Amino acid sequence: MSYNILDFGAKNDGVTNNATAIQAAIDCCHQNGGGMVLVPSGQFLTGTIWLKSHVELHLSHGAVLLASGNMQDYNAVDAYPQNFSYPEEEWVGKHLIIALGCENVAITGSGIIDGSGHLFYDKPEKHWRFLWADGLSLSKDKQALRPGQLICFVECTHVRVQDFRIQNATCWCCFFHGCDYVQVRGVRIFNDSTYANTDGIDIDCCRFVTVSDCIIDTGDDAIAIRGNARPLNRKDLPCAHITVTNCVLGSSSSAFRIGVGDQKIEHLRISNITVTRAATAFNLLTNYFPQCYTPLSNITFSNISLTNVGRAFEMAASAEGPIIHITFENISCECFAGAWITSYGGKHIRALHLENFRIAVKDCGELSASEAQERGTCVLRVGGITDSTLNSVRIDGCEDTHIPWDNAFVATDCDLSCERCHFPTLS
């Protein structure tokens, strides 16, 4: 059964706050056993709305859900126990759409969800050469800050997110926290390249997740896979059994950030990806927060093409947060800056395999002293790796840049087998 929000008093004038009308439609649909809540063509301003079990929120072609610019129109930051804020990054736990403890819930359609980010972000300031290269925008209001994740699914099961467009967000766009059986397909995400924290899709302590056929171009991580269980009711949830495929990604930070939190991340398959820009292609850090470790294991990246990238890798492990059984195969990466893979305090990266991996170094022109230091002097530096192989790995182009490189490849304290690799000698 379908429930049109116009029948519950919604107005498509782009001015009226329709949160009450939309919520009434959702509640009625839920109370009657479920169905579809229809957002028809038009612009509907809204504050926080809460999805319910067995409800599909459907955005018709031409429909726009427009986030309010008034922080008072959003949920309280203590509205539910799993919520959190991050004042250090200048956002708080206020959200546009929340699904809490739901089952069989969906957001679909060809319409748009607009986060009104331009109302909350200040003008961009110059940042580093390779990270937020276009500048970095933070909150205008340093007291109220800005809303957090745009769409939150928290401890839900059987979730479907499909086909609509997200734009102009104020923080992470789609956040799945402690969810099982999640399908994300055909979602398009477009944010200003300078907007901080506007991750495309964040998957945190979730299991059985597929992400496919998405296009993301955003100001922060394109796809983040995390293990932060601390706010959840269950504290022992790994992030596991996740597939990401057939996507086009662009990011001012990392194309893939994997890590963050204190739970295991394992059994990931990431394939058939095109990256148009990124500061870092593959960012795997198991100690993102002090005294908080995220072990990573059984992860495969395959058939990925990356252009306009700062670094191919930022990868670090420790005894408490090891990285085990990670494979990169059939990867082509055009990059400007030096990459590093390291293990702190011993050999805690084990069974790392690079197969048919090409790094093509691009010239970034003249650099200041600080920019040259940021770029680095070695194209790929690895350390603390054991039981690992590099097979048909190539580094090309580092002989032809304005500022010379000291080394193409350096390995220290490694148990590493190299076969059919091409690392030019530069000294």
Side-chain angles (χ1 to χ4, degrees):
M1 189 170 180
S2 179
Y3 300 79
N4 192 317
I5 65 171
L6 293 176
D7 296 333
F8 293 81
K11 299 183 184 302
N12 64 351
D13 56 13
V15 176
T16 303
N17 183 352
N18 291 288
T20 299
I22 298 171
Q23 193 63 58
I26 291 171
D27 292 346
C28 184
C29 180
H30 170 69
Q31 290 161 9
N32 289 332
M36 176 185 291
V37 172
L38 179 66
V39 182
S41 178
Q43 189 174 83
F44 297 89
L45 184 75
T46 186
T48 299
I49 56 176
W50 297 74
L51 289 183
K52 300 291 179 66
S53 294
H54 311 294
V55 173
E56 175 184 341
L57 181 66
H58 184 82
L59 306 174
S60 299
H61 197 72
V64 179
L65 272 185
L66 181 63
S68 172
N70 184 350
M71 292 286 276
Q72 299 305 311
D73 291 338
Y74 294 84
N75 62 281
V77 296
D78 60 354
Y80 55 99
Q82 302 94 326
N83 200 21
F84 60 94
S85 302
Y86 202 160
E88 296 88 343
E89 293 184 347
E90 301 187 0
W91 57 266
V92 295
K94 293 175 177 285
H95 317 288
L96 190 69
I97 301 175
I98 304 169
L100 177 64
C102 297
E103 62 176 342
N104 190 26
V105 62
I107 305 174
T108 67
S110 57
I112 296 171
I113 299 177
D114 189 313
S116 297
H118 62 286
L119 300 177
F120 295 97
Y121 280 102
D122 210 345
K123 293 181 179 179
E125 295 184 359
K126 180 176 173 56
H127 206 65
W128 299 312
R129 177 64 180 266
F130 304 104
L131 177 61
W132 289 295
D134 297 333
L136 180 65
S137 301
L138 296 170
S139 297
K140 286 181 183 177
D141 188 330
K142 301 303 183 184
Q143 299 300 317
L145 306 180
R146 66 181 190 274
Q149 297 95 339
L150 191 69
I151 302 170
C152 295
F153 292 89
V154 181
E155 297 191 285
C156 296
T157 59
H158 299 287
V159 176
R160 183 163 58 96
V161 174
Q162 185 173 332
D163 293 338
F164 60 91
R165 186 168 91 202
I166 296 172
Q167 63 189 30
N168 206 14
T170 57
C171 194
W172 311 349
C173 296
C174 283
F175 179 37
F176 304 94
H177 202 187
C179 297
D180 287 345
Y181 309 107
V182 176
Q183 182 185 66
V184 183
R185 187 172 68 205
V187 173
R188 291 148 295 143
I189 297 174
F190 303 103
N191 294 310
D192 191 286
S193 64
T194 70
Y195 284 3
N197 314 117
T198 51
D199 296 12
I201 298 171
D202 280 54
I203 302 164
D204 198 336
C205 292
C206 296
R207 299 174 300 175
F208 317 112
V209 179
T210 64
V211 177
S212 66
D213 307 296
C214 294
I215 300 173
I216 300 172
D217 194 274
T218 191
D220 216 305
D221 304 328
I223 293 179
I225 300 176
R226 303 158 48 95
N228 180 25
R230 292 185 180 185
L232 297 173
N233 287 322
R234 282 192 59 183
K235 309 298 183 186
D236 60 345
L237 281 175
C239 200
H241 308 297
I242 296 167
T243 296
V244 180
T245 191
N246 296 345
C247 295
V248 179
L249 309 178
S251 167
S252 299
S253 185
S254 299
F256 298 98
R257 179 182 296 279
I258 300 178
V260 185
D262 56 5
Q263 292 299 311
K264 295 186 296 184
I265 298 175
E266 58 189 3
H267 303 299
L268 313 183
R269 295 296 179 266
I270 298 169
S271 64
N272 300 339
I273 306 291
T274 297
V275 175
T276 60
R277 63 183 186 91
T280 302
F282 307 106
N283 192 330
L284 283 69
L285 304 179
T286 64
N287 186 203
Y288 187 83
F289 295 119
Q291 306 304 313
C292 194
Y293 303 97
T294 318
L296 308 180
S297 64
N298 292 295
I299 301 173
T300 297
F301 298 86
S302 62
N303 302 330
I304 299 177
S305 174
L306 306 105
T307 58
N308 195 27
V309 168
R311 306 179 196 283
F313 294 103
E314 291 185 24
M315 188 186 304
S318 63
E320 300 86 350
I323 295 176
I324 303 171
H325 292 296
I326 311 296
T327 298
F328 295 86
E329 57 187 9
N330 301 329
I331 312 290
S332 175
C333 182
E334 297 181 356
C335 61
F336 300 100
W340 49 269
I341 301 173
T342 192
S343 179
Y344 299 117
K347 295 180 180 178
H348 307 301
I349 298 177
R350 187 167 71 251
L352 170 69
H353 303 292
L354 274 61
E355 175 90 21
N356 191 24
F357 196 123
R358 178 175 182 257
I359 297 176
V361 180
K362 296 297 182 180
D363 188 17
C364 49
E366 299 295 336
L367 299 175
S368 67
S370 61
E371 289 172 340
Q373 183 176 16
E374 181 192 348
R375 188 204 70 161
T377 60
C378 180
V379 177
L380 177 59
R381 186 182 303 274
V382 301
I385 299 172
T386 187
D387 191 24
S388 299
T389 61
L390 275 60
N391 189 0
S392 298
V393 176
R394 292 185 61 89
I395 295 176
D396 295 323
C398 48
E399 304 96 325
D400 304 318
T401 58
H402 275 74
I403 298 177
W405 295 85
D406 291 347
N407 297 283
F409 176 75
V410 171
T412 57
D413 191 28
C414 290
D415 174 14
L416 189 63
S417 170
C418 295
E419 298 182 7
R420 297 187 295 278
C421 293
H422 171 75
F423 303 132
T425 301
L426 302 178
S427 57

